[in-house]
Amino acid sequence: MPDLLLELFSEEIPARMQRQAAEDLKRLVTNALVDRNLFYEGAQAFVTPRRLTLHVIGLPAAQPTSREERKGPRVGAPEAAIAGFLKSAGLARIEDASIEKDPKKGEFYVAMIEKPGRSTKEALADIIPTVVRAFPWPKSMHWGDYHPAERLVSLSGMEAGMDPGTISAKYTGKNTLRWVRPLRGILCTLATPHDVAEIVPFDIDGLGSGDVTWGHRFMAPAPITVRRYDDYAEALQKAKVVLDADRRQAIILNDAKSLAFAQGLELVEDEGLVEEVAGLIEWPVVLMGEFEPEFLDIPPEVIRATIRANQKCFVLKDADGKLANRFILVSNLVASDGGAAIAAGNGRVVRARLSDARHFWLTDLSPLPDYKDKAAKPLDQRLAKLEALGIIFHDKLGTQAERIERIESLTNELARKVGADVELAARAACLAKADLVTEMVGEFPELQGLMGRYYALAQGEEPSVADAIEEHYTPQGPNDRVPAAPISIAVALADKLDTLGSFWAIDEKPTGSKDPFALRRAALGVIRIVLENGLRLPLTGPLNAAIWGALLDIEFAREDQAGSVVQSLERRGFPKGPELEEVVGAFSRAARRSPAPDNARLRETTASLLIFFADRLKVYLRDKGARYDLIDAVFALPGQDDLLTIVWRVEALGRFLDTEDGKNLLMGYRRAANILRAEERKEGAGAFAGPHEPAKLVLPAEKDLADVLAAAGAAARERVGREDFEGAMRALATLRAPVDAFFLDVTVNADDSALRLNRLRLLGELRDATHAVADFSRVAG
């Protein structure tokens, strides 16, 4: 069984696209093979900066022969009909067809048409050009026509002796192909073990397939002729190319650790950087560089960001866990001097970058030269600069400065609820975004928050305020840390709730896989902060405040609304000019800090956002093993906006339904609910509301159910009121036996209409009693 070897050789592929491209190549080619009934034993894709490679093993030599039964005309049909049948079936005479009988249609002709399958080589010659032309690169480019000399190196050995003019005549046409970088060669062979390998011949806009590849760009640039994968992998290894990206990563990591250990240092591991560097080189050579110790006065995160972002190098730490003035770099070639010149060159660049970083650091610690209040602290000056620059947060939601006011207002409300010092929390919220206009964050945006903490500490802010400035961005993912200090919690919640409320206010919600403003992440962040800190925080109030603040800013951002406010104040005697604008701004801020009104649009928007939180909570709890339907059952009850009690209820409900009592009560509930639903469809919703009449209970089973139901319902409601959900479940468990007996002994739809109404009301009370804990109709299974 033949094996396929395919290599698409190009200029350097961006590192961030490589792994996905290898997966896409494997998926597209193997799917196309399967669609053509060419089933294979295994496939593996590889990628280096200059090549995408696919190895498919165990292919059949050809597609299977297909057989098609084609029905023809009845026996004795006109000659024209028979002639048309013979032509369509490819038969020379009617005797070559068989005759079948049908009880209704009589006898008719049937032809069995066999179509031999195409060879795998022919099928691949169609598949691969199609895949290459439609390859899903995130970004691609077009380049000029191929020169005859470029075509020469990609042809087979047989054709390699042709002169460029002959090749140019054979492969004609303009290049219309788009690829991530110019495609320079295509190697495509089909090889049977212990037999001759064949080239799969095809042409893509003048670039022909062949059996030629190339090694390392500098250390082994000559073309290499290969036939099968084993030859190919061995030849590339000799030509200084490590084909497997995972192996390149392992080499980088192991060699870096070993080199650091030899110097008494430890590598600060960076999985993302290892992946990126492995996508930049084909032959990793690990070296060590150094910079002056005085740069270690800069915050360590800045040093790491500088070295990582600009030089793609790894930082090292000493035995005390502090950054060392050494770094690891990875070269793409073996230098004659052992890499000394390469390390020295990288050291010079790192020193220059760190000099810039130190300049940013010192500049940000100093007062702004043109700021009028020289006594103001640096971060306060940056906050004023942020407001003066009018940096837009979103075109429908105003500026960053306005957003800071909303966050500060929300923080004031939340601080009291999470046990934080209100004044310190407000201070942290005020300064939380001030570092956005610092020099350091302008150069390294990923350091926002962190640099705010450093600058806050440097200007004498309380440590809890400084920590909150950094931590208010967390958590930024499912595995990120969650703030635990009350002030950090208050500001982090305010930031995320403002984001959610603001975008809900302008109806910018996530749709499908699209979430450009990371609103799902913000909601999950709120959920994690609340649950992992055990906070009792009903969300309706903060969400109302967040949405109301955004709605106010939207209204005041509209020119006609602002104009009407200004005109109204002018009519009341306020002078024109900056003073009037100040009054309008103060009016907006005062309105934002006032309680949210009872407004229909506000209620509708908040309800929609709570449903979004329910969906995110499902995802969060599902990852922890909880059932999504139980979350629905709890959220369906009115007033469910306290995430912690929702989780408690879900956990208690899950444990209850795992018991025999819980399973049987659920069955009884469903039977009662189904009967009520059917009867309510006839007589209208609410037809059986109200209490039953004890005097009309006739049978012992219905009397027992009524007695137990009264006690169990009252106990369940009382225990839910004091949040003893386990106790509420135990109270409901006492209903199991009387419910079973009721459905065994009692006919609900009795002939006597008064008995029927009374029994339906009793079932309605059963339904209401269970709804004190959860809406059992939402429970699946």
Side-chain angles (χ1 to χ4, degrees):
M1 300 178 77
D3 298 343
L4 168 68
L5 173 61
L6 171 66
E7 180 197 75
L8 303 171
F9 186 84
S10 69
E11 300 296 336
E12 278 72 8
I13 304 168
R16 69 184 184 279
M17 300 183 188
Q18 291 176 16
R19 195 169 289 274
Q20 184 61 49
E23 293 174 2
D24 288 339
L25 180 64
K26 176 182 174 181
R27 173 179 55 83
L28 293 170
V29 173
T30 55
N31 286 354
L33 288 169
V34 171
D35 290 343
R36 291 163 175 78
N37 292 320
L38 291 169
F39 300 100
Y40 58 95
E41 293 179 3
Q44 190 172 11
F46 304 93
V47 62
T48 79
R50 297 204 298 159
R51 70 199 79 227
L52 281 175
T53 300
L54 177 65
H55 181 216
V56 183
I57 62 172
L59 284 165
Q63 294 172 307
T65 299
S66 64
R67 291 175 174 82
E68 176 189 352
E69 184 180 85
R70 182 167 298 177
K71 293 182 179 179
R74 61 181 174 79
V75 175
E79 288 295 326
I82 292 176
F85 170 64
L86 292 175
K87 182 177 180 181
S88 65
L91 301 178
R93 54 195 187 125
I94 196 63
E95 287 76 13
D96 293 335
S98 60
I99 297 175
E100 292 188 4
K101 294 182 179 180
D102 184 275
K104 294 182 179 179
K105 297 182 180 179
E107 296 183 334
F108 56 92
Y109 293 109
V110 174
M112 187 63 67
I113 304 171
E114 288 194 0
K115 293 182 179 180
R118 299 174 69 198
S119 70
T120 301
K121 180 179 174 181
E122 291 176 319
L124 286 169
D126 286 343
I127 290 171
I128 294 170
T130 302
V131 168
V132 170
R133 291 183 185 281
F135 202 81
W137 292 110
K139 290 184 179 180
S140 60
M141 62 178 292
H142 176 70
W143 59 98
D145 299 338
Y146 288 107
H147 188 274
E150 287 183 293
R151 299 172 191 163
L152 178 64
V153 293
S154 66
L155 300 179
S156 67
M158 179 186 68
E159 295 174 317
M162 295 181 183
D163 64 282
T166 305
I167 297 170
S168 183
K170 182 173 181 179
Y171 297 100
T172 59
K174 295 185 71 63
N175 173 32
T176 60
L177 177 67
R178 296 190 68 87
W179 199 247
V180 64
R181 295 291 184 270
L183 190 61
R184 297 305 186 194
I186 302 174
L187 182 154
C188 190
T189 65
L190 203 59
T192 303
H194 313 299
D195 203 350
V196 178
E198 299 179 279
I199 294 171
V200 178
F202 56 86
D203 167 76
I204 303 176
D205 286 1
L207 187 64
S209 60
D211 56 3
V212 177
T213 187
W214 294 263
H216 192 280
R217 181 184 286 277
F218 305 111
M219 295 188 289
I224 306 166
T225 301
V226 297
R227 289 291 182 174
R228 51 176 50 84
Y229 174 75
D230 292 341
D231 302 339
Y232 172 79
E234 183 180 353
L236 285 182
Q237 184 71 23
K238 291 179 180 178
K240 305 298 183 185
V241 175
V242 178
L243 181 62
D244 188 349
D246 290 336
R247 183 163 169 255
R248 293 197 302 275
Q249 289 187 40
I251 291 170
I252 292 168
L253 195 56
N254 292 334
D255 289 359
K257 287 181 178 179
S258 298
L259 186 56
F261 181 76
Q263 299 294 322
L265 302 172
E266 183 182 349
L267 178 72
V268 178
E269 294 188 32
D270 188 329
E271 184 178 344
L273 185 57
V274 171
E275 171 97 13
E276 183 178 6
V277 172
L280 298 174
I281 56 175
E282 292 191 317
W283 190 259
V285 178
V286 176
L287 304 170
M288 183 179 289
E290 64 178 322
F291 55 87
E292 285 71 15
E294 51 263 32
F295 287 118
L296 295 175
D297 294 337
I298 305 172
E301 295 87 353
V302 174
I303 296 175
R304 183 175 179 180
T306 300
I307 292 176
R308 185 191 197 281
N310 294 308
Q311 290 303 105
K312 311 302 180 191
C313 295
F314 302 84
V315 295
L316 302 169
K317 58 185 179 181
D318 58 23
D320 297 327
K322 297 179 179 179
L323 281 192
N325 64 319
R326 305 281 184 90
F327 61 92
I328 292 290
L329 62 132
V330 186
S331 171
N332 193 31
L333 55 82
V334 179
S336 57
D337 63 353
I342 296 172
N346 276 267
R348 286 193 296 272
V349 176
V350 165
R351 281 191 287 276
R353 296 291 188 178
L354 290 177
S355 294
D356 291 342
R358 182 165 57 184
H359 169 73
F360 297 148
W361 167 246
L362 296 175
T363 300
D364 291 337
L365 290 175
S366 305
L368 292 172
D370 54 349
Y371 192 71
K372 58 184 179 181
D373 184 3
K374 301 299 181 182
K377 296 179 179 180
L379 272 186
D380 295 274
Q381 294 183 6
R382 268 68 184 181
L383 183 63
K385 180 181 177 181
L386 181 66
E387 186 169 1
L389 290 174
I391 297 173
I392 298 296
F393 169 61
H394 185 279
D395 59 353
K396 293 181 181 179
L397 294 170
T399 65
Q400 282 283 5
E402 291 170 331
R403 181 167 187 250
I404 290 169
E405 288 187 0
R406 294 199 301 270
I407 293 173
E408 188 177 349
S409 177
L410 267 177
T411 301
N412 284 330
E413 178 177 338
L414 289 166
R416 298 179 178 87
K417 296 181 179 181
V418 301
D421 183 288
V422 176
E423 290 186 8
L424 292 179
R427 178 64 175 166
C430 178
L431 298 178
K433 308 293 183 182
D435 65 349
L436 293 178
V437 289
T438 60
E439 299 291 328
M440 190 70 79
V441 173
E443 181 71 13
F444 301 110
E446 66 272 22
L447 297 181
Q448 59 185 310
L450 172 69
M451 296 313 302
R453 178 173 70 85
Y454 276 114
Y455 298 142
L457 290 173
Q459 71 178 27
E461 301 291 341
E462 288 287 335
S464 58
V465 170
D467 290 343
I469 292 172
E470 178 187 6
E471 293 176 348
H472 86 280
Y473 288 107
T474 61
Q476 296 192 18
N479 300 316
D480 194 15
R481 61 193 173 94
V482 170
I487 293 174
S488 298
I489 289 171
V491 182
L493 286 174
D495 178 64
K496 291 165 180 59
L497 291 174
D498 174 75
T499 298
L500 290 160
S502 297
F503 283 103
W504 245 253
I506 60 173
D507 202 26
E508 287 277 1
K509 305 171 186 176
T511 56
S513 61
K514 296 181 179 179
D515 187 10
F517 304 110
L519 301 181
R520 293 188 180 98
R521 186 176 71 188
L524 184 59
V526 172
I527 290 168
R528 286 191 61 201
I529 292 170
V530 169
L531 296 184
E532 294 181 29
N533 285 292
L535 297 177
R536 297 298 309 279
L537 182 67
L539 290 178
T540 300
L543 290 179
N544 274 337
I547 296 167
W548 174 238
L551 290 173
L552 282 172
D553 280 344
I554 293 167
E555 292 301 321
F556 274 86
R558 294 176 180 170
E559 288 183 4
D560 57 340
Q561 177 69 16
S564 65
V565 172
V566 170
Q567 291 168 11
S568 175
L569 292 174
E570 284 177 354
R571 286 195 298 271
R572 287 170 169 78
F574 285 95
K576 296 181 181 180
E579 294 82 1
L580 183 56
E581 293 176 6
E582 244 180 76
V583 171
V584 173
F587 176 71
S588 171
R589 287 189 290 274
R592 188 185 297 113
R593 288 186 172 88
S594 63
D598 184 15
N599 176 278
R601 179 184 173 188
L602 185 59
R603 287 197 304 271
E604 180 182 342
T605 307
T606 302
S608 170
L609 189 46
L610 280 172
I611 292 171
F612 180 71
F613 267 101
D615 291 338
R616 291 298 91 200
L617 184 62
K618 287 182 201 175
V619 174
Y620 175 80
L621 293 179
R622 185 180 60 204
D623 291 343
K624 294 185 175 297
R627 288 167 47 180
Y628 72 91
D629 56 322
L630 303 188
I631 303 169
D632 282 339
V634 173
F635 252 108
L637 301 179
Q640 296 304 307
D641 65 347
D642 187 330
L643 298 176
L644 194 61
T645 59
I646 289 169
V647 171
W648 289 345
R649 281 195 192 222
V650 168
E651 291 172 348
L653 182 59
R655 286 189 289 271
F656 176 60
L657 293 177
D658 284 339
T659 66
E660 285 302 314
D661 285 344
K663 292 173 184 175
N664 286 321
L665 180 61
L666 179 61
M667 292 175 60
Y669 167 86
R670 285 176 175 161
R671 189 169 178 183
N674 289 337
I675 292 171
L676 286 168
R677 192 179 305 112
E679 296 306 313
E680 285 173 344
R681 275 199 297 267
K682 299 175 186 176
E683 302 188 27
F688 312 112
H692 71 278
E693 295 183 39
K696 292 182 179 179
L697 298 175
V698 177
L699 299 176
E702 58 184 329
K703 293 178 181 179
D704 289 345
L705 177 59
D707 292 341
V708 176
L709 184 58
R717 287 189 292 272
E718 186 270 332
R719 289 169 185 172
V720 165
R722 52 187 173 91
E723 297 178 355
D724 178 11
F725 301 114
E726 297 282 358
M729 298 296 172
R730 287 194 298 272
L732 291 181
T734 62
L735 290 169
R736 174 193 170 180
V739 167
D740 290 345
F742 178 86
F743 284 117
L744 185 65
D745 298 340
V746 178
T747 300
V748 175
N749 287 316
D751 294 334
D752 186 324
S753 60
L755 285 179
R756 171 180 171 273
L757 176 61
N758 205 49
R759 289 169 181 173
L760 288 169
R761 284 180 172 174
L762 186 61
L763 292 183
E765 291 176 32
L766 172 63
R767 181 175 61 183
D768 293 343
T770 57
H771 284 185
V773 176
D775 185 348
F776 278 56
S777 67
R778 304 295 182 97
V779 179

